[in-house]
Amino acid sequence: MLKEILQSQVVKNFIPTRKAMSRKGDNGKVLVIGGNYLYHGAPILSSIAALRTGSDLVYTCVPKINVMATRAFSPNLIVVPLVDVKLTRGSVQKLLGIIPKNLDSATIGMGLGIQDREALKILVHSLLDRAVGLSLDASSLVPEILPEIKDKKVIVTPHTGEFQRLFGELPPTAIKQRTGMVEKHAKENGVTILLKGPTDIVSDGKQTYLNPKNIAAMTVGGTGDVLSGVVAAMLAKNKNPVQAASAAVFVNGKAGYLAQKKYGLHIMATDLLDFIPYSMKPFDRVK
């Protein structure tokens, strides 16, 4: 099995060149679904991150109680109301009738309240039927979803606790054993796993990439939401999940490094948003 440490020259191959004659939408149409009455900021962080990573259009779907706050945060966001406070079958059916048919990717779960896990399964199944590249995070990482995404080129982005909830095993601390567990579950479930940590591990069971960042300041809440947006943006450009996820953790980690370099151990997740362009700029190519 291929194992490789992520470096700039590797990541460069995972980020496509932008076409000089491209038009609005050609560089990524992304859907972000998240938020609840308490965690209204999570989908905002993901959405701005996707835009900063280079997506042309980002549709931010949040419960209707969060719509005003989300719209007020940035005029760059296209906000789509979710009719219920939590994800329900009814809200999913209405959402599927509103969102564009030609989305490139979607990320689901950041701060999202899920009332009915069947609703989540319907949503995931419907987006995959539309050939939308899919990334799942946070509350969408439940065992019931694994049969829906098996062998469908989906990315899951758990931290240690979410990994245990999803796969039933707690990842060990030692990197060799930790990597082996990620590879095993990726292969068994036909999914790309991005296990977040001091060293991020990305594997589809065939290829594995390690991103040793060890950035102490990135324990602050919201950095994982930023990563979800970067993953979705990368997946909109590159339909190879392990490459998209690997590029995302590298760029997100570099943004965290630059934020910590400026602010020390006092960063906020919004600081990463400011540094994503600087992390992406070395990979900018137009032809």
Side-chain angles (χ1 to χ4, degrees), residues 64-128:
K64 58 184 178 181
I65 60 169
N66 293 351
V67 165
M68 188 176 296
T70 305
R71 285 179 173 154
F73 184 86
S74 174
N76 297 292
L77 301 179
I78 304 168
V79 183
V80 181
L82 191 66
V83 295
D84 295 320
V85 175
K86 295 183 178 181
L87 198 71
T88 63
R89 298 185 203 193
S91 65
V92 165
Q93 295 297 344
K94 289 185 179 181
L95 174 64
L96 291 170
I98 295 171
I99 58 175
K101 303 294 184 185
N102 59 345
L103 291 167
D104 295 303
S105 69
T107 183
I108 304 170
M110 300 70 58
L112 182 65
I114 298 176
Q115 182 169 309
D116 183 355
R117 291 184 178 180
E118 284 299 316
L120 176 64
K121 291 164 69 173
I122 292 168
L123 176 61
V124 166
H125 183 77
S126 299
L127 290 173
L128 291 174

Side-chain angles (χ1 to χ4, degrees), residues 261-275:
K261 188 175 180 181
K262 180 174 182 179
Y263 295 113
L265 302 178
H266 316 286
I267 71 170
M268 299 183 295
T270 46
D271 296 325
L272 267 68
L273 300 175
D274 296 333
F275 286 106

Side-chain angles (χ1 to χ4, degrees), residues 3-22:
K3 287 188 179 69
E4 195 166 355
I5 302 294
L6 286 173
Q7 297 177 341
S8 293
Q9 57 266 36
V10 175
V11 173
K12 182 179 180 180
N13 297 321
F14 298 163
I15 301 177
T17 300
R18 182 174 292 219
K19 295 178 182 178
M21 299 301 291
S22 62

Side-chain angles (χ1 to χ4, degrees), residues 27-89:
N27 301 292
K29 298 178 289 294
V30 174
L31 175 68
V32 173
I33 305 175
N36 62 25
Y37 73 97
L38 183 61
Y39 298 117
H40 78 282
I44 296 175
L45 291 168
S46 300
S47 299
I48 299 294
L51 288 168
R52 282 298 194 187
T53 306
S55 296
D56 286 342
L57 294 166
V58 176
Y59 299 86
T60 308
C61 179
V62 298
K64 58 184 178 181
I65 60 169
N66 293 351
V67 165
M68 188 176 296
T70 305
R71 285 179 173 154
F73 184 86
S74 174
N76 297 292
L77 301 179
I78 304 168
V79 183
V80 181
L82 191 66
V83 295
D84 295 320
V85 175
K86 295 183 178 181
L87 198 71
T88 63
R89 298 185 203 193

Side-chain angles (χ1 to χ4, degrees), residues 238-249:
N238 185 344
K239 293 298 185 181
N240 182 315
V242 74
Q243 292 184 3
S246 297
V249 290

